[in-house]
Amino acid sequence: LREHPYPVPPPRHPQTPIRMNNYHYIIAGLPDLLPDFTQSGHFSYSGISEAVREQLSPADRRAVDWLEAGADSSILCGHFYRAAARQRSRFIRCWYGLDRMIRNSQVRFLASKEGIDPEKYIVGETDSRDEEAWPVLQQIFRTEDLLEREHALDRYRWDRITELTTFHYFDMDVILGFLAKAMIVGRWSSLDRDKGAELFRRYVDEVRGTFKGVDFN
């Protein structure tokens, strides 16, 4: 992974006025942002992202910028991960710690197959959490079918997002987790309609189930 000269995502919508944080209001409205995937045949992440951004403060939009920056693999380098680890957002720190761990594990797996030393390709230092995740990720990497392997990795990411937002109800972590899952759904809606629809149904059920006692209809 190379060092990128501009690893930090640029700010967006600088002209938008500052708003007071009102997370419970934003989160309660999240299910209303979900399109009818089965009718439209596609899932628009950008539409959901923009609808959420309109309700966030500049500081919180910055956290969304960081979340979305990872879609550009060219900036995922050691400098980027170090900068992400210093972010105020707990979710962003954990999300990129997870991403780095998955990528390092993949390097480790491929290096073992080729009989080469993976240490020169590993980004950052490994820890006990990396070792705990290794058996599960190793099994995923052994999957021969490319789409099935990618789907399994995204299910793994999905479950980690759920863990990161457990016991978080009305804060920015929930919103970032919502968007992170929406990015996964959007990716699969363009790659595989059936898997995209499957993830979308799970996505809607989880979002609605998170806020028991709130009438979304």
Side-chain angles (χ1 to χ4, degrees), residues 91-205:
F91 188 93
I92 294 301
R93 295 195 306 271
C94 293
W95 177 247
Y96 282 111
L98 171 68
D99 185 78
R100 182 183 61 82
M101 183 268 289
I102 291 174
R103 292 174 187 275
N104 280 344
S105 295
Q106 192 160 24
V107 167
R108 179 179 172 186
F109 176 79
L110 294 173
S112 67
K113 289 184 65 176
E114 298 297 327
I116 61 178
D117 182 7
E119 292 306 315
K120 64 175 67 175
Y121 305 105
I122 296 294
V123 175
E125 297 181 357
T126 59
D127 58 31
S128 60
R129 290 170 297 182
D130 295 16
E131 294 304 318
E132 291 170 5
W134 171 243
V136 176
L137 290 171
Q138 186 179 36
Q139 188 63 38
I140 292 174
F141 296 141
R142 286 176 177 157
T143 304
E144 293 292 335
D145 184 90
L146 177 60
L147 280 180
E148 286 301 319
R149 183 166 68 242
E150 289 301 310
H151 195 226
L153 278 173
D154 276 342
R155 286 199 304 268
Y156 181 83
R157 292 184 180 96
W158 188 289
D159 291 341
R160 302 294 80 73
I161 294 168
T162 299
E163 291 175 0
L164 286 174
T165 54
T166 298
F167 305 122
H168 290 255
Y169 301 105
F170 295 110
D171 63 15
M172 191 59 191
D173 279 8
V174 175
I175 295 172
L176 291 171
F178 173 87
L179 291 174
K181 287 183 175 180
M183 291 172 74
I184 294 174
V185 174
R187 178 169 176 248
W188 280 100
S189 71
S190 62
L191 289 175
D192 185 309
R193 180 184 172 89
D194 291 338
K195 284 185 170 61
E198 171 194 334
L199 280 173
F200 176 76
R201 287 191 293 270
R202 183 174 174 185
Y203 184 56
V204 173
D205 289 344

Side-chain angles (χ1 to χ4, degrees), residues 70-82:
D72 179 1
S73 60
S74 70
I75 69 170
L76 296 178
C77 59
H79 182 56
F80 179 88
Y81 285 119
R82 287 191 295 273

Side-chain angles (χ1 to χ4, degrees), residues 23-55:
Y23 296 131
H24 68 282
Y25 178 81
I26 298 170
I27 293 167
L30 291 179
D32 294 333
L33 302 176
L34 299 177
D36 186 346
F37 180 82
T38 57
Q39 294 295 322
S40 67
H42 70 280
F43 183 94
S44 173
Y45 172 78
S46 61
I48 289 179
S49 174
E50 289 304 315
V52 170
R53 282 174 175 278
E54 289 176 358
Q55 304 176 75

